[in-house]
Every structure is written in C-alpha cells, then in structure tokens.
C-alpha cells in the first residue's frame, strides 16, 4: 500500500496577555493610617509574620493571617498598607492600597490611640473620607474600631470619647504589642467565621 501525506499550512496563532486580579483576598481587612499597629495586630491574633518597624509604610503589600476558632472555623484577615490623607487622589500609592481594601468582605478600623499629631476621632474622619471618596458606600463594610496602643495611654478618656463619637461601632481597646485584650477582637470577628466542613481532620492540620 502506498501512503500519501498531505501538509496544510497553518494560520498564524494569537498571542494574548491576560491580567488576572483576585477580587476577594480576606474576610476582614485592617484599615488605618501608617504605624497604627495593623501588622502587630495581625501577628498577635493570627500568628502571621508580617514585617514590623517604627517607620511609616512598613507594609507595602497585603499580608494574610488565619484566625482559628473551635470546630475548624476560621476567619481570614488581611493587613492593608496604611492610608494617608489624599489616598483617594492617588497620594502615597493610594489607589493601589484602596484597591486592596475593596477586595475585603468587611473592614476594621485600627487607630493609634497614642498619636498626638492626629487624634482618634480625627483619624476615623480621615479614613471615612478617603474610603467614601474612592468608592461611595465602602464605609458600610466597617464592623468595628480597634483602639490600639492603650499601653501608651494615661487613662481611658480617649477611648470613652471615641466610643461616644461612634456608637454604631464596637470599640475594642487593645495593645497589640503586649497582646492585651486581643480576645475582644476575636469575639467581635467570630460571627464572620466559616466552616471547612468538607475537609477531614487530617486536611485541616495543614493550616495549623
């Protein structure tokens, strides 16, 4: 038998560049000014190891941590780089940082209670302004205020004033550095936990 082979000239292929963007990165995002202690809180509550330093913009990309609860429940938390006044206009890599915030299901304000340049109530005002300027309605995702660095306060007056100014939010006074009252944050976030019921006990060990 004689075999014949026919060759057909192919057409030019196509080359495409695809940019994929993950829409949801965490259940809870930590929002605050630079040096508010967001990375310290993430480390204290989840065991994650983000970089911690005493200068602004230590965090330049989000870090994730997992908060574990009984029964294989957990909450994913993200430390978002610090916002500054004008972030919604692009100042200080603001667009990039705000996009990360948009990818979190719910948000926690983290406030440095020892900041003498910008008081707690003023700080919340700046954060709310920047979030709403970037995307109206984003502040509706706020579920609480973490009043950090209480170890540097002389009395509870600032905490009381902030709780009165924002009665719609639970206020959690903590010291992330000393890991004081971290349980208060865990309790507030517990309703956001979800169960990996389809995974076996052996599979869950990989998250420990």
């Amino acid at each position: 038998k004689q075999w014949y082979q026919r060759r057909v000239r192919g057409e030019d292929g196509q080359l495409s560049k695809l940019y994929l963007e993950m829409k949801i990165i965490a259940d809870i995002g930590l929002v605050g000014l630079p040096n508010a202690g967001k990375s310290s809180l993430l480390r204290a509550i989840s065991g994650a190891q983000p970089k911690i330093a005493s200068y602004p913009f230590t965090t330049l990309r989000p870090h994730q941590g997992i908060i574990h609860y009984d029964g294989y429940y957990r909450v994913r938390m993200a430390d978002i780089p610090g916002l500054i006044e004008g972030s919604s206009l692009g100042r200080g890599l603001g667009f990039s940082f705000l996009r990360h915030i948009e990818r979190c299901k719910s948000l926690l304000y983290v406030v440095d209670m020892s900041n003498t340049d910008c008081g707690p109530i003023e700080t919340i005002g700046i954060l709310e302004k920047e979030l709403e300027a970037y995307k109206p309605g984003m502040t509706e995702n706020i579920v609480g205020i973490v009043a950090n660095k209480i170890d540097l306060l002389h009395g509870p007056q600032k905490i009381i004033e902030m709780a009165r100014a924002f009665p719609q939010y639970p206020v959690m006074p903590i010291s992330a550095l000393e890991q004081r009252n971290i349980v208060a944050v865990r309790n507030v976030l517990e309703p956001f936990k979800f169960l990996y019921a389809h995974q076996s006990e052996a599979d869950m060990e990989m998250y420990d």
Side-chain angles (χ1 to χ4, degrees):
K1 294 182 179 180
Q2 190 174 10
W3 295 92
Y4 295 92
Q5 185 176 24
R6 186 175 66 172
R7 296 181 179 178
V8 179
R9 181 178 179 82
E11 299 179 355
D12 292 337
Q14 295 180 342
L15 179 63
S16 300
K17 287 186 177 180
L18 302 178
Y19 295 91
L20 304 179
E21 185 173 292
M22 185 166 55
K23 193 62 179 175
I24 299 295
I25 63 172
D27 304 297
I28 301 293
L30 302 179
V31 180
L33 301 183
N35 278 1
K38 300 180 295 297
S39 297
S40 297
L41 173 57
L42 181 67
R43 180 184 290 239
I45 200 170
S46 73
Q49 298 295 315
K51 182 179 180 181
I52 295 176
S54 58
Y55 52 84
F57 297 110
T58 307
T59 302
L60 294 176
R61 61 182 180 83
H63 293 276
Q64 274 197 341
I66 304 296
I67 306 171
H68 294 276
Y69 293 89
D70 293 338
Y72 300 133
Y73 286 93
R74 68 181 195 171
V75 170
R76 297 169 299 181
M77 175 178 282
D79 165 23
I80 307 297
L83 299 180
I84 61 174
E85 197 163 11
S87 291
S88 58
L89 300 176
R91 185 182 174 196
L93 297 177
F95 288 144
S96 175
F97 294 171
L98 284 162
R99 285 171 60 211
H100 295 317
I101 295 174
E102 189 180 8
R103 296 172 189 154
C104 299
K105 295 179 181 178
S106 299
L107 304 170
L108 276 179
Y109 287 137
V110 181
V111 179
D112 178 359
M113 301 300 292
S114 69
N115 190 340
T116 56
D117 297 326
C118 186
I121 296 177
E122 183 183 355
T123 295
I124 297 296
I126 291 173
L127 296 175
E128 288 189 335
K129 176 184 174 183
E130 296 304 323
L131 292 179
E132 285 296 315
Y134 176 74
K135 185 177 180 181
M138 188 176 284
T139 55
E140 296 176 5
N141 296 330
I142 302 296
V143 297
I145 300 174
V146 176
N148 194 22
K149 303 187 182 182
I150 59 172
D151 52 299
L152 301 177
L153 291 182
H154 301 287
Q157 187 59 36
K158 284 187 176 181
I159 299 172
I160 295 173
E161 291 174 356
M162 188 166 63
R164 288 175 177 172
F166 303 100
Q168 69 272 35
Y169 302 130
V171 175
M172 298 151 276
I174 71 161
S175 171
L177 179 64
E178 297 181 354
Q179 298 194 16
R180 287 168 52 188
N181 205 30
I182 299 299
V183 66
V185 183
R186 287 182 56 90
N187 292 340
V188 168
L189 298 184
E190 190 166 4
F192 300 91
K193 67 187 180 181
F194 56 96
L195 174 64
Y196 277 75
H198 60 282
Q199 292 181 322
S200 66
E201 183 173 349
D203 293 333
M204 291 303 297
E205 291 179 355
M206 65 183 295
Y207 297 108
D208 295 332

